[in-house]
């Protein structure tokens, strides 16, 4: 994690302590804790309480954890290692059309993050973009859109970077990729609006953004079908999910087709002929076995016509000051076209 992210995370945590709670709720015994609980207060969500300790730290506490976390939907096809949990389910097994209850009340939803949409769901280049990208400054808090159980929370070398996958009571799963820091662990139960991590630029990503996906049985559909990302509002209380909405290639490609697009060779052979799904899985496993890249690898940018330091800083979710420091220049130093600047 870059220093900038650390700073933002610390600042965010300080800010959140006075606003909405950010620390993950865990199963634990009160007597195991080094500090004693001194108070329990209501959180922004009626399903969660906040416990405050003598050392001024606090945690979420969900009184109904045992009941909520042991629902059938969290027992069936539950894997905490792989991104995909429903490899044996075929698209033909999915109903033609089904009604999905998204929320009971307004407390059951929160926008993942608000920001400019930098890339929508759908075909992109030679591949398929299976989620929506929202630009953000590194360190921006990312919220659980619905309540649910954390199925995956770690670094993913297929392109997602630091990734959280939540499974929700209605069977949908939401994915939050390229995070700079995780704030939950596998098997945590989270309420809507709980901070699950902080946005960043990890994995196959150019510039800080949230890559957000919605899946049912591993199959993706456009998140804009349920969320208006310009306002952050949920579009439906009950949503009719049609089989025709699904992207059928979801099942074959575990990795993302992100901005770099250099995963293409994993899906075709040297002559450009498509590989079988078995060959693709083998390639992905080989890629996953490669050492995990450090998340603060230097990123360079070649100055183009019309650029200035502010534009470049905004593009990479950084500041002019940070770029100047990395390159030993001042904000008034002229930059020229073709110049190579370190931006991260
Ligand atoms: Zn994306």
């Amino acid at each position: 994690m870059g220093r900038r992210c650390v700073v933002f995370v610390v600042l965010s945590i300080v800010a959140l302590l006075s606003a909405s709670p950010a620390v993950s709720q865990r199963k634990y015994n009160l007597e195991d804790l080094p500090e004693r609980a001194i108070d329990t207060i209501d959180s922004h969500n009626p399903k969660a309480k906040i416990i405050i300790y003598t050392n001024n730290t606090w945690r979420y506490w969900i009184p109904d954890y045992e009941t909520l976390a042991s629902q059938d939907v969290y027992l069936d096809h539950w894997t905490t290692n792989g991104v995909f949990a429903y490899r044996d389910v075929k698209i033909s097994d999915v109903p033609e059309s089904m009604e999905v209850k998204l929320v009971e009340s307004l407390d059951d939803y929160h926008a993942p993050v608000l920001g400019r949409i930098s890339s929508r769901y759908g075909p992109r280049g030679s591949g398929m973009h299976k989620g929506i990208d929202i630009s953000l400054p590194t360190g921006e808090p990312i919220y659980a859109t619905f309540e649910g159980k954390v199925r995956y929370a770690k670094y993913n070398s297929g392109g997602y970077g630091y990734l959280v996958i939540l499974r929700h009571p209605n069977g949908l799963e939401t994915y939050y990729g390229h995070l700079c820091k995780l704030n939950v662990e596998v098997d945590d139960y989270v309420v809507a609006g709980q901070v699950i991590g902080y946005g960043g630029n990890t994995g196959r990503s150019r510039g800080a953004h949230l890559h957000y996906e919605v899946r049912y049985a591993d199959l993706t559909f456009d998140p804009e079908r349920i969320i208006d990302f310009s306002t952050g509002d949920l579009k439906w209380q009950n949503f009719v999910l049609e089989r025709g909405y699904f992207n059928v290639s979801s099942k074959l490609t575990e990795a993302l087709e992100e901005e770099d697009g250099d995963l293409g060779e994993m899906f075709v052979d040297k002559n450009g002929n498509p590989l079988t799904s078995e060959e693709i899985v083998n390639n992905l496993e080989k890629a996953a076995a490669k050492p995990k890249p450090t998340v603060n690898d230097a990123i360079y940018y070649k100055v183009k016509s019309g650029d200035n330091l502010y534009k470049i800083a905004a593009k990479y979710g950084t500041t002019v000051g940070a770029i100047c420091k990395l390159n030993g220049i001042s904000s008034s130093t002229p930059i020229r076209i073709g110049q190579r600047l370190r931006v991260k």
Side-chain angles (χ1 to χ4, degrees):
M1 171 169 50
R3 180 171 300 150
R4 187 184 144 76
C5 179
V6 176
V7 171
F8 265 91
V9 168
V10 170
L11 289 177
S12 313
I13 288 171
V14 169
L16 283 158
L17 278 175
S18 54
S20 84
V23 179
S24 107
Q25 149 274 330
R26 298 285 298 148
K27 300 180 278 187
Y28 54 86
N29 298 317
L30 290 181
E31 56 272 24
D32 292 345
L33 292 161
E35 298 291 333
R36 272 186 321 113
I38 49 171
D39 202 1
T40 305
I41 56 171
D42 292 336
S43 76
H44 66 290
N45 191 305
K47 286 186 176 139
K49 304 264 182 213
I50 293 166
I51 300 182
I52 300 173
Y53 297 97
T54 45
N55 65 353
N56 287 325
T57 60
W58 58 275
R59 277 165 192 264
Y60 270 117
W61 173 51
I62 297 179
D64 287 340
Y65 176 89
E66 294 299 338
T67 314
L68 291 170
S70 59
Q71 297 173 79
D72 287 350
V73 69
Y74 307 124
L75 300 175
D76 179 43
H77 287 88
W78 184 258
T79 166
T80 56
N81 283 316
V83 168
F84 279 9
Y86 298 89
R87 286 185 183 276
D88 60 322
V89 179
K90 294 187 286 295
I91 190 158
S92 51
D93 300 332
V94 172
E96 201 78 66
S97 174
M98 63 188 132
E99 184 161 304
V100 178
K101 177 176 275 213
L102 294 177
V103 292
E104 296 269 4
S105 78
L106 283 177
D107 295 319
D108 296 335
Y109 168 76
H110 195 291
V113 69
L114 287 179
R116 186 177 62 85
I117 299 173
S118 54
S119 184
R120 297 193 131 89
Y121 179 90
R124 187 164 71 183
S126 58
M128 171 74 196
H129 188 225
K130 301 191 180 82
I132 186 165
D133 292 347
I134 312 291
S135 290
L136 46 74
T138 293
E140 188 85 349
I142 303 298
Y143 301 94
T145 37
F146 308 103
E147 73 172 80
K149 194 167 176 178
V150 179
R151 185 169 71 71
Y152 187 101
K154 61 180 175 182
Y155 188 86
N156 168 269
S157 52
Y160 289 100
Y162 282 99
L163 170 69
V164 171
I165 300 175
L166 302 181
R167 185 177 293 176
H168 306 291
N170 55 20
L172 294 183
E173 291 192 329
T174 51
Y175 287 44
Y176 310 77
H178 309 312
L179 305 181
C180 78
K181 183 178 162 49
L182 306 178
N183 203 33
V184 287
E185 290 172 36
V186 152
D187 291 337
D188 277 355
Y189 203 86
V190 299
V191 293
Q194 188 167 330
V195 176
I196 54 169
Y198 299 87
N201 192 26
T202 60
R204 198 165 309 282
S205 163
R206 287 247 178 105
H209 71 280
L210 174 70
H211 173 88
Y212 178 81
E213 291 182 8
V214 187
R215 292 185 183 251
Y216 177 81
D218 293 343
L219 294 156
T220 62
F221 64 93
D222 187 351
E224 288 189 270
R225 289 192 186 275
I226 59 170
I227 295 169
D228 179 341
F229 287 87
S230 63
T231 58
D233 292 336
L234 188 68
K235 289 181 172 174
W236 315 95
Q237 182 172 21
N238 295 302
F239 169 64
V240 179
L241 181 53
E242 307 280 351
R243 192 195 283 168
Y245 294 168
F246 292 124
N247 166 236
V248 291
S249 71
S250 303
K251 303 233 80 153
L252 280 183
T253 55
E254 181 149 343
L256 290 174
E257 294 281 340
E258 272 299 339
E259 282 81 346
D260 291 2
D262 61 0
L263 283 170
E265 81 250 20
M266 291 184 170
F267 310 127
V268 291
D269 66 14
K270 285 193 198 91
N271 304 316
N273 299 316
L275 298 175
T276 65
S277 53
E278 196 181 333
E279 288 167 324
I280 292 171
V281 169
N282 283 341
N283 279 349
L284 287 166
E285 277 165 5
K286 256 187 252 162
K290 281 186 194 162
K292 168 175 129 178
T294 54
V295 294
N296 56 354
D297 272 350
I299 297 174
Y300 290 89
Y301 175 75
K302 200 168 157 190
V303 178
K304 294 190 185 73
S305 168
D307 275 342
N308 60 48
L309 287 174
Y310 292 93
K311 265 197 203 168
I312 298 169
K315 193 174 157 88
Y316 285 91
T318 181
T319 63
V320 171
I323 293 179
C324 288
K325 210 170 160 195
L326 286 172
N327 295 278
I329 59 173
S330 87
S331 59
S332 57
T333 308
I335 53 169
R336 51 180 187 7
I337 296 167
Q339 187 177 346
R340 214 163 149 262
L341 282 178
R342 183 168 170 192
V343 290
K344 290 270 180 181

